[in-house]
Amino acid sequence: MYCEAVASYNVAFSDRPLVAQYGSHLNILQVHVPNDQACNFSDDDALRVLLHNRIPLDWVDHAYTYGVVYLEQQFHSLTMSLDIFREVNDERIKHLSRYGTPPAILHWDGWREMTEDNHYCLMFKHDEERLMPDPPEAKGLYYYIGMDPNQ
């Protein structure tokens, strides 16, 4: 889907086609959707977020295996409607037959051990979120990752 979205974007904005961002300093904005609005967040919304952030196609391709495992876990935990699972799986099979299995980014493949610093950073972040009196909801606005949404 993202491949088609990029192609459509490039046709619609031929004077300024999508240039994916790479490098050590990336500017990625996240969208916050209130829980009561999550069911309204569509595929098109997700694609717009990816395009807005200039996410490279190969990053999305690399996430394919994660997505398949996630869907399988959702299917087996019965939290996902069988109709939704079939619809997503049918779409997946259609794209596989059209494009083949998405390639992984080799130097991203595999597992890595979490460092002690990673562990503490994650632990403190979870504590901060847990201790917040009212979780901030940005009502669909974009924020820089790491930016305090209360300011």
Side-chain angles (χ1 to χ4, degrees), residues 19-29 53-56 59 144-145:
V19 176
Q21 58 176 324
Y22 287 97
S24 58
H25 298 288
L26 305 173
N27 186 20
I28 298 178
L29 305 169
N53 283 299
R54 300 180 303 128
I55 300 299
W59 291 10
Y144 287 103
I145 291 176

Side-chain angles (χ1 to χ4, degrees), residues 131-150:
L131 296 173
M132 291 180 85
D134 296 308
E137 293 181 339
K139 308 288 187 239
L141 300 175
Y142 288 94
Y143 287 96
Y144 287 103
I145 291 176
M147 178 179 167
D148 183 356
N150 295 314

Side-chain angles (χ1 to χ4, degrees), residues 123-137:
M123 188 175 67
F124 290 134
K125 181 66 179 163
H126 284 303
D127 280 346
E128 285 175 9
E129 290 175 1
R130 185 178 52 80
L131 296 173
M132 291 180 85
D134 296 308
E137 293 181 339

